Amino acid sequence: MNKLSECIINKNSSFIPIWFMRQAGRYLPEFREIRKKNIDFIKLCLNSDLASKITLQPLKRFDLDAAIIFSDILMIPYGLGQKVEFKKGEGPILGKYNEKKILITQEADVIKKFKPIYKIIKKVKNKTKKNVIGFTGAPWTLLVYMLNKESPKKNFDFNFITKDKLLVKKLLEKLVSTVAFHITKQIEAGADVIQIFDSWAGLLPKKDLTEYCFNPTLEILKRVKKFGAPIICFPKGIKESYSDFCSIVKPDCISIDYEVDPLWIKKEANGIPIQGGLDPKILLKDRAGIKKEVEKYLNIFSGYPYIFNLGHGVLPETKPETIEYVTNIVRNKK
Ligand code: 1CP
């Protein structure tokens, strides 16, 4: 059994596995080199040679315990027939959604489009003994992108997104089944662990978390449990509701963001393995500042099943040497 599974499934706390969200990405010059020649981001995610190569790039440089597949959460809206484009400096732009088209999309149509993704997993699996992490967006976060058609960073209105209750209900059901199915196919292709990113859970009013975040995630976990791969959940930004998330959803592992007090969550998680937490902005500080913060997490979670990671993705301006520096601190922790 490899390191992440050992920590999550066996709750082994004698070793702290390490990987980084967005470890394959814009902070790496070798990624930017490939990206420059591949303007169409979706096409790049479906190019199994290049995407498997990008997935392995961080493992060539750093002593990490896992490879996260190079893909994107917005492959799901793309798979359901919505146009998805990434414009330079603007983030994702989604096309008009056609409710009927989305709702009648069959699993077979999605498989046909996603075949290269499962091929990437198989290729990566053949090339590394490390854990291979598959991932997906959570229904709520995907719904936000599909209906908002651009990043909610730019503009977001909860009442606008949830205005048409019937449409939202139907879309969430479709997303639950598509996400559960995509997780299953990734596990079949060889993914050892799956992470569900609910990057915009923090936009939900507290009273609506159950309906839009907890319940859809619970339903997905129920459907994929029998396939045996542990699931890490990352309901970013839900603050004190991390405690309810742990007791209601009971994920195999909970990924915390940088607003979560690590000492508090250690008490609230009820023994559920914890991942992450460190603010990615800390990695832009000097070495003494970085070491202090990394060691804070290592000390707090000493003796608790913990996976070292950040509280969100690696920022594009992070120096690759910093990732190496942090990895060495974690590795040398006794
Ligand atoms: O060159 C570029 O401009 C592309 C940048 C890029 C990359 C490298 C995007 C566009 N996606 C990715 C890959 C990616 N996305 C990975 C695999 C690589 C790895 O982690 O090593 C993963 C796991 C994601 C997940 C993802 N995509 C999330 C969830 C995590 C998070 O950051 O909260 C989200 C929200 C997205 C949407 C997305 N895709 C890309 C961008 C810039 C965004 C964010 C848009 C926004 O700000 O709303």
Side-chain angles (χ1 to χ4, degrees):
M1 196 179 275
N2 27 36
K3 301 287 166 43
L4 261 75
S5 311
E6 183 64 39
C7 174
I8 303 174
I9 299 173
N10 292 344
K11 304 202 177 179
N12 186 342
S13 60
S14 64
F15 177 90
I16 297 180
I18 174 169
W19 69 282
F20 292 83
M21 291 187 244
R22 296 288 181 106
Q23 65 188 30
R26 289 174 295 179
Y27 76 104
L28 282 182
E30 57 270 39
F31 168 72
R32 288 200 302 267
E33 195 55 39
I34 294 181
R35 178 74 169 107
K36 222 167 50 192
K37 295 183 211 133
N38 294 271
I39 306 296
D40 186 332
F41 185 74
I42 295 281
K43 254 195 192 155
L44 181 57
C45 291
L46 294 171
N47 179 327
S48 61
D49 286 332
L50 286 178
S52 54
K53 193 170 162 187
I54 296 169
T55 302
L56 291 164
Q57 282 177 342
L59 277 82
K60 281 202 171 146
R61 277 184 182 251
F62 318 116
D63 182 19
L64 304 169
D65 291 306
I68 181 158
I69 226 68
F70 180 76
S71 188
D72 201 85
I73 64 164
L74 299 177
M75 295 310 285
I76 296 270
Y78 164 80
L80 290 173
Q82 194 172 7
K83 193 169 170 193
V84 179
E85 276 182 302
F86 290 83
K87 295 206 173 122
K88 213 174 170 176
E90 277 189 61
I93 305 286
L94 284 82
K96 281 202 190 107
Y97 57 88
N98 179 333
E99 181 192 339
K100 279 208 190 85
K101 195 168 138 195
I102 288 172
L103 296 175
I104 60 161
T105 306
Q106 302 290 308
E107 285 182 355
D109 305 326
V110 182
I111 295 199
K112 219 164 140 188
K113 284 184 161 172
F114 284 4
K115 258 194 180 145
I117 303 179
Y118 310 128
K119 199 167 156 192
I120 295 161
I121 296 178
K122 285 195 184 119
K123 281 194 171 175
V124 171
K125 195 76 189 153
N126 281 333
K127 287 192 177 147
T128 181
K129 290 196 168 60
K130 301 289 175 81
N131 273 122
V132 175
I133 306 175
F135 72 90
T136 174
W140 162 250
T141 287
L142 295 173
L143 183 84
V144 167
Y145 281 108
M146 288 171 81
L147 298 184
N148 212 42
K149 302 205 235 41
E150 62 178 346
S151 174
K153 245 187 236 163
K154 294 187 170 175
N155 82 76
F156 176 78
D157 175 353
F158 179 74
N159 295 325
F160 167 75
I161 294 293
T162 54
K163 193 174 61 196
D164 186 343
K165 292 274 183 264
L166 187 62
L167 171 72
V168 166
K169 184 170 176 287
K170 284 191 206 158
L171 283 178
L172 277 179
E173 278 169 9
K174 188 71 185 174
L175 285 167
V176 164
S177 59
T178 311
V179 165
F181 165 75
H182 185 40
I183 291 176
T184 308
K185 295 305 272 183
Q186 292 185 73
I187 298 171
E188 258 177 37
D192 304 293
V193 175
I194 298 291
Q195 175 146 332
I196 302 179
F197 288 93
D198 212 345
S199 304
W200 297 108
L203 294 176
L204 284 162
K206 199 171 173 179
K207 65 173 182 24
D208 296 299
L209 276 169
T210 302
E211 183 178 352
Y212 295 102
C213 171
F214 301 167
N215 284 350
T217 308
L218 251 178
E219 181 57 31
I220 291 166
L221 296 193
K222 206 168 92 191
R223 293 191 198 185
V224 304
K225 200 177 174 66
K226 56 179 176 289
F227 299 102
I231 312 286
I232 304 171
C233 288
F234 184 36
K236 183 175 179 287
I238 62 170
K239 300 195 161 74
E240 71 279 4
S241 300
Y242 258 96
S243 168
D244 287 342
F245 191 96
C246 288
S247 56
I248 296 169
V249 181
K250 298 187 184 70
D252 298 307
C253 176
I254 185 83
S255 202
I256 56 169
D257 64 62
Y258 44 84
E259 289 180 333
V260 176
D261 176 354
L263 273 170
W264 171 80
I265 192 71
K266 197 175 136 185
K267 282 188 279 162
E268 297 293 319
N270 235 323
I272 292 174
I274 295 171
Q275 168 178 278
L278 181 74
D279 191 335
K281 286 197 210 78
I282 298 287
L283 300 196
L284 308 178
K285 287 192 169 188
D286 62 20
R287 292 207 159 183
I290 296 172
K291 189 160 193 271
K292 183 168 157 256
E293 287 296 315
V294 171
E295 285 183 340
K296 181 179 107 183
Y297 280 88
L298 296 180
N299 291 332
I300 288 175
F301 290 113
S302 167
Y304 191 96
Y306 178 65
I307 299 170
F308 189 88
N309 203 322
L310 304 179
H312 202 192
V314 177
L315 296 166
E317 56 270 43
T318 309
K319 291 196 189 88
E321 306 87 77
T322 304
I323 299 294
E324 187 174 358
Y325 179 64
V326 172
T327 307
N328 288 338
I329 300 174
V330 176
R331 281 285 180 248
N332 294 328
K333 164 87 181 159
K334 289 286 174 299

